[in-house]
Amino acid sequence: SAGPQIVVSVYGPDFFGHDVVRGYGAVHVPFTPGRHTKTIAMFVPESTSLLQKFTSWFTGRRPEFTDPKVVAQGEGREVTRVRSQGFVTISFNVV
């Protein structure tokens, strides 16, 4: 479905105090008037090899998306390994 979306990027400190991505998600903005509550399934990209996982743990640098369009479109995401990372609930008041 087409239309405007809200892309959410959540960041937080890791074990070493570095600000790292905690999750990405996207949801379409409703058009019908009224109050709408949407739950966004969040995900994070994952390293594909043990070496990458160790390096990202050791350096505190996790894989992240540089273009929010990847999150919004979902295209190409199937070739990227991602891990489910909780949910964010968002409320819209549409007039």
Side-chain angles (χ1 to χ4, degrees):
S1 95
Q5 292 184 66
I6 290 182
V7 174
V8 178
S9 301
V10 178
Y11 290 83
D14 67 2
F15 181 76
F16 301 105
H18 300 112
D19 220 17
V20 296
V21 67
R22 293 290 188 191
Y24 295 106
V27 66
H28 285 276
V29 177
F31 285 111
T32 55
R35 185 174 172 84
H36 305 271
T37 302
K38 302 269 186 178
T39 300
I40 306 170
M42 304 296 285
F43 61 89
V44 289
E46 269 209 329
S47 300
T48 52
S49 74
L50 280 175
L51 179 61
Q52 286 174 324
K53 286 179 185 176
F54 176 75
T55 303
S56 78
W57 175 84
F58 188 73
T59 62
R61 307 295 304 155
R62 287 184 174 178
E64 39 183 302
F65 294 123
T66 53
D67 186 355
K69 289 180 187 162
V70 173
V71 178
Q73 293 171 347
E75 292 169 15
R77 228 173 53 206
E78 65 277 0
V79 298
T80 306
R81 184 177 293 182
V82 296
R83 177 170 40 91
S84 187
Q85 193 70 9
F87 299 89
V88 168
T89 302
I90 189 167
S91 294
F92 298 92
N93 289 304
V94 181
V95 291

